[in-house]
Amino acid sequence: ERCYGCMTCEVACVTAHKHPGAPVTTEAIMQTITPGMLRTTRIWVEPAQDNAPVPTTCRHCLEPACVSVCSIGSMRQDGKHQSVINHQEQCAGCWMCVMVCPFGGVDKLGKIAHKCDLCQDRDVPACVAACPNEALEWVDVEPLAEERRQQVATHLTGGQLSCGT
């Protein structure tokens, strides 16, 4: 509900993943925001119900289907935070990962699969850092899970937590 479709996350992604020393060109930015052009971003702002914008990217699943179906092993769970990384130099372009991703987080870029790598060289992914409306968040799973368990426990006990005493 916080995303208003400014696509700043997409521009930040393209900028963060440019080749070292290469300038960020107007063409690269236009490719990011122009429908139908070759999009080099790893996050996509797509319209959903009522044309409301929704940022879509790889969710770096704990048991990723894309890794399971990658017959050549280019899609692996490694790197910082055990994120799902496509080692593009090995990608055979079979598109199985694109087909099995339940979130639409893997795309084709030329002859290779293309997806978010959580900006392995940064502490916080570029898209999260750039989002002006904080629609994207970078959170640690453990505190989030604890908070959700507390919310459920509070709801199930009618608003008060008890220890069973």
Side-chain angles (χ1 to χ4, degrees):
E1 66 274 0
R2 293 187 213 160
C3 179
Y4 54 87
C6 69
M7 297 182 166
T8 302
C9 57
E10 290 190 17
V11 174
C13 180
V14 168
T15 303
H17 289 91
K18 70 180 182 63
H19 294 292
V24 175
T25 64
T26 303
E27 179 184 13
I29 301 299
M30 290 307 294
Q31 286 175 345
T32 300
I33 61 176
T34 305
M37 292 188 78
L38 179 65
R39 296 177 63 178
T40 58
T41 184
R42 298 159 192 246
I43 184 170
W44 304 273
V45 177
E46 302 289 349
Q49 291 179 345
D50 301 328
N51 266 350
V54 176
T56 305
T57 189
C58 175
R59 301 291 196 260
H60 298 276
C61 304
L62 293 176
E63 296 180 20
C66 59
V67 171
S68 298
V69 300
C70 185
S71 62
I72 205 157
S74 70
M75 195 73 72
R76 295 193 294 266
Q77 196 166 20
D78 58 21
K80 189 168 49 171
H81 310 292
Q82 283 298 295
S83 48
V84 178
I85 306 293
N86 183 28
H87 297 270
Q88 295 179 333
E89 67 282 356
Q90 298 171 352
C91 182
C94 70
W95 315 128
M96 291 299 292
C97 54
V98 174
M99 291 185 268
V100 301
C101 179
F103 302 104
V106 186
D107 200 9
K108 294 173 15 178
L109 180 64
K111 295 181 179 185
I112 58 171
H114 191 65
K115 62 175 290 308
C116 172
D117 63 0
L118 289 179
C119 295
Q120 293 293 305
D121 57 336
R122 300 172 57 108
D123 290 334
V124 175
C127 58
V128 175
C131 183
N133 219 27
E134 297 179 351
L136 300 171
E137 295 178 337
W138 177 246
V139 296
D140 187 13
V141 174
E142 292 305 319
L144 179 64
E146 174 64 27
E147 180 183 331
R148 295 285 162 90
R149 286 191 297 271
Q150 290 292 323
Q151 290 171 348
V152 169
T154 300
H155 174 75
L156 292 174
T157 59
Q160 295 185 10
L161 289 175
S162 68
C163 301
T165 56

